[in-house]
Amino acid sequence: QVQLVQSGAEVKKPGASVKVSCKASGYTFTGYYIHWLRQAPGQGLEWVGWIVPHSGVTNYARKFQARVTLTRDTSITTSYMELSSLRFDDTAVYYCARGVGAPIFDYWGQGALVTVSS
Amino acid sequence: EIVLTQSPGTLSLSPGERVTLSCRASQSVSSSYLAWYQQKPGQAPRLLIYDVFTRATGIPDRFSGSGSGTDFTLTISRLEPEDFAVYYCQQYGSSPITFGQGTRLDIK
């Protein structure tokens, strides 16, 4: 069965960086985009960007373009999101999700809480 | 970017009732690329409906979607206890992908 398993919760100080992983299984990793989204406490969903596992090509939402880097390691079917220059308002649950078509998100990771605190 | 406005913000209903949730876009959604997700506390969102009215795999037929252009709805024909959750619409016809702020369904 398709699974996306993310790394655990992180606590970081303002200005630091965080790297979250997303391990895919149960399907052909290189056949689908991986998207990253986030959800601040009590808030809605915000799209961060996508990566094409086959080629490594990325696309980022303009809001995050200067601070986010998506990468992947096809040998271990894992995608990564690194967010730098963390601010208090980056505190959120970060999700990876498999993108299908235009895209819609048919499978999601369990989420990784990133807390930015001094 | 397309802004999606969902209404109402919160609804209190009883099991067995019918409910219609609204999602209005700030501009026309390209190619009817509109989806709905359900999210329960502490869980990731679950895809319910895509391309306005197509149910995702395993989604019961009490969930239905409709609409076009800028106005879309999600209807649950008869609420089950497990349907009380937050519902989000998403447009994927224009970049960036955007979501509505959500409608919370509470048990009355």
Side-chain angles (χ1 to χ4, degrees):
Chain A
Q1 72 283 21
V2 174
Q3 280 193 304
L4 298 173
V5 179
Q6 297 183 232
S7 48
E10 302 260 14
V11 180
K12 296 291 183 180
K13 294 192 182 303
S17 296
V18 68
K19 191 170 186 177
V20 180
S21 68
C22 172
K23 165 81 174 168
S25 62
Y27 72 99
T28 302
F29 179 63
T30 52
Y32 296 84
Y33 288 32
I34 290 289
H35 292 252
W36 289 83
L37 307 97
R38 77 178 188 180
Q39 186 171 37
Q43 303 301 309
L45 295 156
E46 187 171 29
W47 176 74
V48 175
W50 53 249
I51 184 166
V52 183
H54 175 70
S55 62
V57 171
T58 56
N59 182 39
Y60 305 127
R62 188 171 299 175
K63 173 178 179 178
F64 299 102
Q65 200 148 18
R67 297 193 297 132
V68 71
T69 304
L70 301 183
T71 57
R72 92 290 187 223
D73 185 338
T74 56
S75 68
I76 56 171
T77 66
T78 298
S79 178
Y80 303 91
M81 183 209 68
E82 185 168 22
L83 187 63
S84 63
S85 303
L86 288 168
R87 307 187 289 247
F88 294 118
D89 63 359
D90 289 319
T91 294
V93 175
Y94 288 78
Y95 291 103
C96 61
R98 191 177 80 163
V100 178
I104 55 172
F105 308 119
D106 61 348
Y107 289 93
W108 295 65
Q110 81 277 19
L113 175 62
V114 175
T115 302
V116 183
S117 173
S118 55
Chain B
E1 91 178 33
I2 294 180
V3 177
L4 299 178
T5 302
Q6 292 186 240
S7 60
T10 304
L11 273 172
S12 295
L13 296 165
S14 300
E17 291 194 79
R18 177 186 179 92
V19 62
T20 298
L21 311 182
S22 172
C23 176
R24 178 162 290 178
S26 60
Q27 55 189 281
S28 185
V29 175
S30 174
S31 303
S32 296
Y33 284 156
L34 194 287
W36 291 90
Y37 296 82
Q38 176 193 68
Q39 187 177 34
K40 296 180 180 179
Q43 297 184 15
R46 177 173 74 140
L47 177 66
L48 297 177
I49 300 279
Y50 62 95
D51 294 351
V52 176
F53 56 80
T54 303
R55 276 188 300 276
T57 303
I59 301 303
D61 60 8
R62 65 179 181 272
F63 291 91
S64 63
S66 63
S68 65
T70 61
D71 289 296
F72 301 90
T73 60
L74 173 70
T75 298
I76 310 173
S77 60
R78 186 177 172 84
L79 283 166
E80 297 288 340
E82 62 267 27
D83 298 338
F84 291 91
V86 180
Y87 292 82
Y88 294 98
C89 57
Q90 173 217 348
Q91 70 78 25
Y92 46 104
S94 302
S95 187
I97 296 161
T98 52
F99 292 82
Q101 83 281 12
T103 291
R104 178 184 306 276
L105 283 187
D106 288 337
I107 298 179
K108 184 185 288 184

